[in-house]
């Protein structure tokens, strides 16, 4: 029996995620909510000692250690922290806001990957930038057209992409960076999901530096570990970027918490010492679990066969995604409808849902069972 529910109003993906926060079956947001591993639990138990350490030591030393450990864990050995070109932020979205405000001082338009998580277009458009969509296939397969590069001050790419998991190869990144150098366009990367996919762990900074292009990279500790929203977003830039990033960063914050930086260092060291490989196995198991639990449901498919990221797209066939979303919500299961990832043409996402995999297996199992019966009950719909 369906309970009567208030009408839903969600203006963006994050508001859809907010609806799910108190539910025991929250498969909506891409934040990590699985159990701590035993090695991670030990680190958490040492937080009081880390607090004392954070009080005693110079912040810049702690920040450097956190950056070395985090970027090192991810293969980003040419990162520019030592050169003074990596700023820490409370979140990667804040880093994005700082980048957006910097860009709009010198340009009025930006080329942005399509689809991608909607807070990226919203932040960029929010400062007044005009957005020009770059289809994922085009970004990965072809040179960008000259007419596009002549119009924009920046090309913004999310790799691995959210929600598709698509990773830009080293060869493609090199070519894109060369094109950006040629047209004097800033190349901006959001690599928040890179920790999940070893294909995204070649040394991006070496490629960017070799190209000579102006570049900015946003990195995120926030998707990997279940650390209760304690995280760092890093904002790294080239020496020649010629944007007021440092000034705008300082307008907004003095710095991040040395306690969180120490925690990031410890989680990263554990990651490099086998924790990241363990996470990869966990996410792969969770992906297999969800696919197995939904196997045999007619007229569905998993869209991103190669994805390694902690989210999974489900195509619901001739059903409408929002019909399935509403049906599972009445059972207290929350997933994410995909229209808003397709920020330029939302209808392209209307038959897809995104499921979060960084959860406990019991939650995924319960969610998949609810989803399975809802899919079996949801009728076809033609628009
Ligand atoms: C995901 C939400 C915002 C973002 C969620 C996300 N952050 N809106 N500042 O972290 O994939 O669920 O990226």
């Amino acid at each position: 029996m369906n309970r009567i529910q208030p009408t839903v109003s969600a203006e963006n993906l994050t508001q859809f995620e907010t609806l799910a926060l108190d539910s025991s079956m929250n498969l909506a947001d891409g934040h990590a909510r699985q159990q701590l591993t035993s090695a991670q639990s030990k680190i958490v138990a040492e937080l009081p000692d880390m607090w004392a350490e954070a009080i005693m030591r110079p912040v810049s030393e702690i920040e450097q250690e956190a950056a070395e450990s985090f970027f090192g864990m991810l293969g980003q050995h040419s990162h520019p922290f030592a050169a003074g070109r990596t700023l820490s932020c409370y979140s990667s979205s804040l880093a994005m806001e700082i980048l957006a405000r910097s860009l709009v001082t010198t340009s009025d338009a930006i080329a942005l990957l399509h689809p991608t998580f909607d807070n990226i277009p919203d932040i960029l458009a929010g400062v007044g930038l005009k957005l020009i969509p770059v289809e994922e296939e085009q970004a990965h397969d072809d040179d960008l057209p000259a007419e596009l590069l002549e119009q924009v001050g920046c090309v913004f790419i999310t790799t691995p992409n959210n929600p598709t998991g698509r990773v830009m190869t080293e060869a493609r990144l090199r070519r894109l960076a060369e094109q950006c150098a040629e047209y004097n366009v800033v190349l901006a990367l959001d690599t928040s999901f890179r920790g999940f996919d070893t294909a995204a762990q070649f040394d991006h900074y070496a490629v960017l530096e070799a190209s000579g292009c102006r570049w900015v990279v946003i990195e995120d500790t926030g998707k990997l570990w279940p650390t209760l929203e304690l995280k760092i977003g890093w904002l790294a830039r080239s020496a020649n970027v010629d944007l007021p990033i440092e000034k705008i960063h300082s307008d907004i914050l003095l710095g991040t918490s040395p306690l969180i930086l120490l925690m990031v260092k410890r989680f990263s060291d554990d990651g490099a010492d086998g924790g990241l490989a363990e996470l990869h196995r966990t996410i792969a198991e969770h992906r297999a679990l969800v696919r197995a639990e939904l196997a045999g449901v007619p007229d569905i498919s998993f869209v991103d066969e190669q994805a390694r990221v902690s989210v999974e797209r489900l195509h619901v066939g001739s059903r409408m995604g929002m019909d399935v979303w509403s049906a599972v919500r009445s059972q207290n299961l929350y997933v994410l409808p995909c229209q808003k990832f397709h920020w330029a043409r939302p209808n392209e996402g209307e038959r897809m849902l995104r499921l979060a995999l960084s959860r406990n297996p019991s939650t995924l199992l319960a969610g998949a069972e609810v989803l399975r019966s809802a899919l079996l009950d949801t009728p076809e719909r033609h628009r």
Side-chain angles (χ1 to χ4, degrees):
M1 198 178 66
N2 280 351
R3 285 176 296 135
I4 294 167
Q5 294 189 334
T7 11
V8 179
S9 84
E11 290 176 282
N12 61 26
L13 291 167
T14 305
Q15 289 180 0
F16 273 105
E17 296 177 348
T18 303
L19 294 171
L21 284 178
D22 290 340
S23 168
S24 61
M25 280 189 293
N26 168 13
L27 302 187
D29 65 71
H31 294 201
R33 302 182 185 283
Q34 72 275 25
Q35 268 187 335
L36 291 161
T37 66
S38 56
Q40 290 171 343
S41 291
K42 279 193 195 128
I43 300 171
V44 170
E46 289 167 27
L47 278 169
D49 298 335
M50 289 153 68
W51 188 296
E53 183 183 345
I55 290 169
M56 277 167 21
R57 295 179 54 200
V59 179
S60 62
E61 198 178 286
I62 292 173
E63 193 175 34
Q64 168 139 19
E65 285 184 8
E68 300 293 350
S69 291
F70 183 73
F71 286 77
M73 168 187 72
L74 297 175
Q76 304 307 301
H77 302 294
S78 304
H79 72 87
F81 188 92
R85 286 187 275 108
T86 306
L87 297 165
S88 63
C89 305
Y90 311 127
S91 72
S92 64
S93 298
L94 180 57
M96 194 105 57
E97 172 73 17
I98 292 168
L99 168 62
R101 283 186 50 190
S102 305
L103 281 169
V104 81
T105 63
T106 56
S107 59
D108 53 12
I110 182 165
L112 174 63
L113 190 62
H114 185 261
T116 202
F117 197 81
D118 70 348
N119 83 320
I120 302 173
D122 287 351
I123 287 171
L124 295 169
V127 301
L129 288 164
K130 180 184 167 205
L131 309 180
I132 303 179
V134 176
E135 299 310 312
E136 200 175 61
E137 296 68 34
Q138 165 157 49
H140 288 271
D141 299 340
D142 308 313
D143 282 2
L144 296 187
E147 314 83 74
L148 173 67
L149 291 164
E150 281 158 3
Q151 274 181 68
V152 298
C154 177
V155 173
F156 193 110
I157 300 289
T158 312
T159 175
N161 197 13
N162 179 9
T164 68
R166 183 100 187 244
V167 173
M168 183 159 282
T169 64
E170 183 165 355
R172 255 322 284 159
L173 180 66
R174 183 172 299 115
R175 179 61 194 140
L176 184 58
E178 281 166 12
Q179 279 204 295
C180 287
E182 184 184 341
Y183 288 85
N184 191 29
V185 164
V186 175
L187 178 54
L189 302 180
D190 170 355
T191 63
S192 293
F193 280 83
R194 98 151 81 233
F196 293 104
D197 197 334
T198 52
Q201 294 171 16
F202 63 89
D203 189 348
H204 288 47
Y205 296 92
V207 174
L208 293 169
E209 279 299 281
S211 76
C213 79
R214 299 159 63 209
W215 57 261
V216 174
V217 180
I218 292 167
E219 307 255 359
D220 189 9
T221 76
K223 300 293 186 283
L224 290 176
W225 309 308
T227 50
L228 299 174
E229 309 296 338
L230 300 176
K231 59 191 177 182
I232 299 290
W234 304 98
L235 182 53
R237 64 186 187 278
S238 60
N240 63 352
V241 75
D242 198 23
L243 293 173
I245 288 175
E246 204 163 17
K247 167 63 167 62
I248 292 173
H249 179 270
S250 72
D251 285 341
I252 297 173
L253 69 161
L254 174 59
T256 53
S257 162
L259 178 66
I260 297 177
L261 288 163
L262 277 176
M263 185 199 76
V264 163
K265 175 189 158 45
R266 296 287 302 274
F267 272 74
S268 301
D269 289 345
D270 173 64
D273 191 27
L276 201 57
E278 182 176 353
L279 177 64
H280 294 168
R281 287 193 296 273
T282 300
I283 296 297
E285 281 167 21
H286 291 182
R287 179 168 269 115
L289 181 158
V290 167
R291 288 184 183 181
E293 209 56 35
L294 296 176
V297 174
D299 194 25
I300 63 163
S301 60
F302 293 96
V303 186
D304 307 301
E305 279 301 322
Q306 307 302 317
R308 297 286 181 273
V309 292
S310 60
V311 294
E312 173 89 330
R313 280 194 303 172
L314 173 70
H315 196 287
V316 295
S318 47
R319 307 165 187 88
M320 289 299 276
M322 277 310 294
D323 288 345
V324 181
W325 184 89
S326 299
V328 299
R329 182 184 187 240
S330 73
Q331 309 291 312
N332 209 30
L333 168 65
Y334 288 82
V335 295
L336 208 52
C338 284
Q339 290 96 300
K340 289 171 194 290
F341 287 100
H342 297 257
W343 51 269
R345 292 181 308 279
N347 62 306
E348 290 179 3
E350 71 192 4
R351 293 177 194 271
M352 287 184 275
L353 299 170
R354 194 195 76 173
L355 313 176
L357 300 176
S358 45
R359 298 294 189 270
N360 290 329
S362 56
T363 309
L364 290 166
L365 208 58
E369 279 168 14
V370 171
L371 189 53
R372 185 185 174 86
S373 53
L375 286 164
L376 293 171
D377 286 348
T378 307
E380 289 186 12
R381 274 233 270 152
H382 304 282
R383 330 171 60 225

